[in-house]
Amino acid sequence: MDAKIKLRVQGLTNSQIQSGAYALILAEEDGARRIPIIVGTSEAQSIAIALEHIKPPRPLTHDLFVTFAQAFGIQLREVFIYKFEDGVFYSELLFDDGITQIRLDSRTSDAIAIALRVKCDIYTTPQIVTECGVVLEDAMAVEDRGEDEYALLDKEPKDIKDEKELKKWLSLLDDEELSERLEEAVSDENYEYAKMYKDEIRRREEEEDTAK
């Protein structure tokens, strides 16, 4: 078998333009290439709360799976994305109960959601990195379009279809409102919005640390 390439989960993005489209970004551990994987809404929610360490009011399916496995002394050793065919990534999970190891086929989105919860390693093949890997440019800067800030603040996220405009809207919220919106999103189990608000809070904290 070819040498495996270790990956890390860089982040999850949701499109405000194409409803229901989410991209999970896996980054090469020792390289600049990134592998974007399209995932469904429920899987994106599950991955998002794992990335943000948000505890849902009730366990989600992937939480239940992890609790069940751990209750019987079964550990997930690794996730291996072993094939890319016809636009689909194929993955397997390596489980170990201390005596026997077994590999189970899995959708990649489910495999990553579980891996994030147990903090196990994620690998793929050199061929997949070569075929699917891209180098993403840093596009985090938000342009100032000169739009009236008060008019923008009157909008809600669901009404904003442009990603740069959405980032501008987030930057205009004061800290108190941002925290309130985060709490409300978690309470409503709207984890895409919860991630969005938490990302903005983290961005501000990092800016403050840099300024010190």
Side-chain angles (χ1 to χ4, degrees), residues 96-107:
D96 185 349
D97 64 0
I99 300 175
T100 305
Q101 287 192 342
I102 185 172
R103 293 182 182 272
L104 298 179
D105 193 43
S106 170
R107 294 190 307 169

Side-chain angles (χ1 to χ4, degrees), residues 51-67:
L51 283 172
E52 301 303 323
H53 308 292
I54 297 172
K55 185 175 177 59
R58 299 292 297 158
L60 301 179
T61 303
H62 296 113
D63 298 312
L64 179 61
F65 183 94
V66 169
T67 302

Side-chain angles (χ1 to χ4, degrees), residues 54-55 57 175-191 193-195 197-198 201:
I54 297 172
K55 185 175 177 59
D175 292 344
E176 183 177 354
E177 182 175 357
L178 194 58
S179 297
E180 289 175 355
R181 283 178 175 270
L182 173 59
E183 292 178 6
E184 182 180 353
V186 173
S187 178
D188 292 342
E189 299 189 24
N190 190 335
Y191 298 117
Y193 280 6
K195 178 185 184 302
Y197 295 133
K198 194 160 186 177
I201 290 173

Side-chain angles (χ1 to χ4, degrees), residues 2-143:
D2 292 338
K4 297 177 181 177
I5 294 181
K6 190 174 182 181
L7 303 172
R8 58 182 172 81
V9 179
Q10 178 171 304
L12 182 71
T13 64
N14 52 59
S15 173
Q16 298 298 315
I17 299 173
Q18 184 179 351
S19 177
Y22 301 87
L24 170 66
I25 308 300
L26 300 180
E28 191 179 9
E29 181 85 344
D30 298 313
R33 289 172 292 185
R34 306 291 184 263
I35 301 174
I37 300 176
I38 302 302
V39 300
T41 302
S42 60
E43 292 80 9
Q45 289 180 341
S46 185
I47 291 170
I49 68 170
L51 283 172
E52 301 303 323
H53 308 292
I54 297 172
K55 185 175 177 59
R58 299 292 297 158
L60 301 179
T61 303
H62 296 113
D63 298 312
L64 179 61
F65 183 94
V66 169
T67 302
F68 177 86
Q70 291 176 342
F72 286 90
I74 300 170
Q75 293 186 329
L76 176 59
R77 293 299 185 186
E78 70 175 45
V79 166
F80 181 43
I81 305 172
Y82 65 91
K83 183 172 70 172
F84 177 73
E85 186 177 271
D86 297 329
V88 178
F89 291 90
Y90 292 81
S91 296
E92 60 183 15
L93 307 173
L94 175 61
F95 289 101
D96 185 349
D97 64 0
I99 300 175
T100 305
Q101 287 192 342
I102 185 172
R103 293 182 182 272
L104 298 179
D105 193 43
S106 170
R107 294 190 307 169
T108 299
S109 55
D110 290 326
I112 299 300
I114 296 170
L116 287 170
R117 285 163 168 77
V118 300
K119 298 179 173 60
C120 77
D121 292 335
I122 303 168
Y123 297 96
T124 192
T125 67
Q127 180 182 353
I128 288 177
V129 173
T130 299
E131 183 178 350
C132 306
V134 295
V135 178
L136 302 180
E137 296 180 358
D138 184 8
M140 296 304 295
V142 179
E143 291 182 0

